[in-house]
Amino acid sequence: VQLQASGGGLAQAGGSLKLSCVASGRTLNNYAMGWFRQAPGKEREFVTAIRWNDGSTNYGDSVKGRFSISRDNAKNTVWLQMNSLKPEDTAVYYCGLARRYSGMWYYSDYSRYDYWGQGTLVTVSS
């Protein structure tokens, strides 16, 4: 499986960016696609995830109401729309694929993700 993340760049505070993650190499029916981010000197933080089968979503508290995740099944692509950006959103953003474990989803646990993209840098200036 390969995940290709793109769309990062420089934005001003209050602005928007849209990231994408394209998956190739397998069907995604039993997976969820998630986004994490990691700022310099900080641990990787859960941003959001979407279940491929039914589109159910989950968001980290720091991005609720500002970020939105969506998917295109036909294109094996997930988008992360980021609005009302803040300087503290500055980080490398990673997309990953996670399966259920014992019937449960662990969206915010990055150790449950099987595959990762290469990351894309988002910088938000104040």
Side-chain angles (χ1 to χ4, degrees), residues 16-34:
S16 299
L17 281 174
K18 190 172 185 178
L19 307 183
S20 66
C21 183
V22 181
S24 61
R26 71 175 307 126
T27 58
L28 303 179
N29 289 336
N30 297 315
Y31 284 86
M33 178 82 79

Side-chain angles (χ1 to χ4, degrees), residues 98-118:
R99 290 175 291 136
R100 283 185 299 179
Y101 285 85
S102 300
M104 298 290 291
W105 292 98
Y106 298 89
Y107 302 116
S108 62
D109 183 352
Y110 64 80
S111 70
R112 302 290 188 175
Y113 284 70
D114 297 330
Y115 305 100
W116 290 100
Q118 82 286 7

Side-chain angles (χ1 to χ4, degrees), residues 16-110:
S16 299
L17 281 174
K18 190 172 185 178
L19 307 183
S20 66
C21 183
V22 181
S24 61
R26 71 175 307 126
T27 58
L28 303 179
N29 289 336
N30 297 315
Y31 284 86
M33 178 82 79
W35 288 94
F36 283 72
R37 65 187 182 186
Q38 189 163 21
K42 294 188 177 181
E43 293 190 353
R44 194 168 291 199
E45 177 190 14
F46 172 70
V47 176
T48 181
I50 186 167
R51 286 205 301 247
W52 205 260
N53 277 353
D54 61 10
S56 177
T57 59
N58 191 274
Y59 292 91
D61 290 340
S62 62
V63 305
K64 282 180 182 176
R66 299 188 299 122
F67 290 12
S68 177
I69 189 170
S70 60
R71 79 199 192 293
D72 184 326
N73 289 24
K75 297 181 179 180
N76 270 16
T77 300
V78 167
W79 288 278
L80 176 60
Q81 178 67 48
M82 306 186 294
N83 298 327
S84 302
L85 284 165
K86 303 176 181 179
E88 50 263 44
D89 294 320
T90 295
V92 177
Y93 284 70
Y94 298 90
C95 58
L97 285 178
R99 290 175 291 136
R100 283 185 299 179
Y101 285 85
S102 300
M104 298 290 291
W105 292 98
Y106 298 89
Y107 302 116
S108 62
D109 183 352
Y110 64 80

Side-chain angles (χ1 to χ4, degrees), residues 10-17 84-87 123-126:
L10 177 64
Q12 290 189 334
S16 299
L17 281 174
S84 302
L85 284 165
K86 303 176 181 179
T123 304
V124 183
S125 63
S126 58

